[in-house]
């Protein structure tokens, strides 16, 4: 019998938080919930904690190729029609999964539902609200207003548009939301606080801000030809305004951007409709 809901947790060396993550999932009260933890071979207390709950969840602990690869591994292990992705240092709030299931049942046309969320500290205290907006794809391309642990999606979009891009390390969630939206997935906001996204010094968001933004810029450049055209044009205009001439290195750089944008546009036109 297929479970109605599955949650996938990618994990690596988060022993100090993972039990809180596990409890926040298992205490949701969803009958038949399929919970999978894909651990990357942690050597801290993570595996010992997972074994304590192995009668209520499934887990693997083995080397992987990063967070996105771990999520994809978990997705392949499940068959439930509704999917949640919760990192091993984040939490769901009570009643979150029931509210999501009810929303999907009431709105069969919706492929992705996202809720409100908090940034939380190491002790689960609320730092601030995560900035969230009603759905607008144009705005999403300017700012990621979807908080990853508060996003849930139907398996049908994975089957149609594929899993996460395992080549990304920092913005795999942002790229995925954009790809799903480009593929025609229907998004909707559930105006309820569903999850806590943890912020502390070692997180990717705080600990590697420059790398995060660099990967986002590269992703947008590669996936959004219009963005590439705009950036290339504004770069040349600024160079002309301030230096009166872009110079050969800048011309070569922007020419490369334009070529990649043209190639992406042509590839998109050749791609068969979903």
């Amino acid at each position: 019998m297929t479970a109605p809901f599955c949650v996938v947790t990618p994990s690596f060396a988060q022993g100090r938080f993972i039990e809180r993550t596990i409890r926040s999932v298992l205490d949701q009260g969803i009958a038949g919930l399929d919970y999978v933890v894909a651990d990357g071979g942690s050597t801290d207390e993570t595996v010992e904690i997972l074994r304590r709950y192995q009668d209520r969840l499934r887990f693997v602990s083995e080397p992987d190729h990063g967070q996105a690869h771990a999520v994809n591994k978990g997705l392949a292990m499940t068959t439930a029609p509704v999917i949640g992705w919760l990192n091993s240092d984040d939490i769901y709030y009570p009643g979150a999964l029931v509210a999501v299931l009810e929303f999907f049942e009431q709105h069969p046309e919706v492929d992705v539902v996202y809720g409100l969320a908090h940034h939380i500290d190491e002790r689960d205290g609320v730092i601030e609200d995560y900035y969230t907006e009603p759905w607008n794809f144009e705005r999403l391309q300017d700012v990621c207003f979807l908080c990853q642990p508060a996003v849930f999606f139907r398996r049908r979009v994975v089957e149609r548009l594929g899993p996460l891009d395992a080549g990304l390390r920092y913005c795999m969630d942002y790229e995925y939301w954009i790809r799903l939206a480009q593929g025609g997935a229907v998004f909707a906001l559930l105006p309820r606080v569903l999850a806590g996204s943890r912020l502390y010094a070692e997180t990717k968001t705080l600990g590697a801000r420059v790398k995060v933004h660099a990967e986002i810029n590269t992703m947008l450049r590669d996936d959004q030809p219009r963005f590439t055209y705009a950036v290339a044009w504004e770069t040349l205009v600024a160079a002309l305004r301030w230096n009166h001439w872009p110079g050969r290195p800048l011309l070569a750089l922007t020419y490369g951007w334009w070529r990649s944008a043209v190639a992406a546009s042509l590839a998109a036109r050749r791609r068969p409709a979903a």
Side-chain angles (χ1 to χ4, degrees), residues 232-253:
W233 175 251
E234 292 298 331
T235 300
L236 291 174
V237 168
L240 288 170
R241 179 182 301 155
W242 297 108
N243 300 322
H244 307 295
W245 178 247
R248 289 185 179 180
L250 186 58
L251 284 173
L253 178 64

Side-chain angles (χ1 to χ4, degrees), residues 183-204:
V186 177
F187 285 68
L189 169 63
L190 172 58
R192 169 177 174 152
V193 180
L194 301 177
S197 177
R198 203 176 302 277
L199 282 181
Y200 54 99
E202 294 87 352
T203 59
K204 291 179 182 178

Side-chain angles (χ1 to χ4, degrees), residues 38-218:
D39 181 67
S42 298
T43 57
D44 62 358
E45 63 269 38
T46 294
V47 175
E48 178 184 347
I49 294 170
L50 290 171
R51 285 178 179 143
R52 293 208 297 264
Y53 292 93
Q54 62 186 354
D55 60 330
R56 302 182 64 189
L57 58 78
R58 295 183 290 145
F59 76 91
V60 292
S61 183
E62 59 191 18
D64 57 38
H65 302 297
Q67 183 180 4
H69 179 241
V71 173
N72 290 343
K73 185 188 300 184
L75 292 176
M77 294 171 61
T78 64
T79 58
V82 176
I83 299 166
W85 156 21
L86 187 68
N87 292 331
S88 55
D89 52 357
D90 296 334
I91 59 172
Y92 289 141
Y93 288 131
L97 302 193
V98 171
V100 169
L101 269 183
E102 291 177 349
F103 189 91
F104 273 131
E105 289 171 358
Q106 294 165 8
H107 300 86
E109 77 285 1
V110 171
D111 298 301
V112 184
V113 60
Y114 64 99
L116 308 179
H118 292 149
H119 277 138
I120 59 174
D121 60 24
E122 294 177 77
R123 298 183 178 181
D124 299 349
V126 175
I127 300 173
E128 62 186 0
D129 293 338
Y130 188 99
Y131 180 74
T132 306
E133 295 183 6
W135 175 249
N136 183 300
F137 181 48
E138 294 299 319
R139 278 288 293 159
L140 182 68
Q141 296 171 84
D142 294 330
V143 57
C144 185
F145 54 81
L146 277 66
C147 185
Q148 178 270 308
V151 179
F152 302 84
F153 45 96
R154 297 188 192 268
R155 180 165 300 277
R156 67 194 185 201
V157 298
V158 180
E159 294 171 345
R160 185 162 61 92
L161 299 169
L164 304 185
D165 182 344
L168 297 175
R169 183 179 178 189
Y170 300 104
C171 67
M172 71 288 293
D173 53 339
Y174 191 22
E175 186 276 337
Y176 200 51
W177 314 147
I178 289 176
R179 178 157 34 109
L180 294 187
Q182 287 177 324
V186 177
F187 285 68
L189 169 63
L190 172 58
R192 169 177 174 152
V193 180
L194 301 177
S197 177
R198 203 176 302 277
L199 282 181
Y200 54 99
E202 294 87 352
T203 59
K204 291 179 182 178
T205 305
L206 290 181
R209 286 183 177 179
V210 173
K211 293 180 180 178
V212 170
H213 287 290
E215 185 174 87
I216 288 173
N217 288 339
T218 300

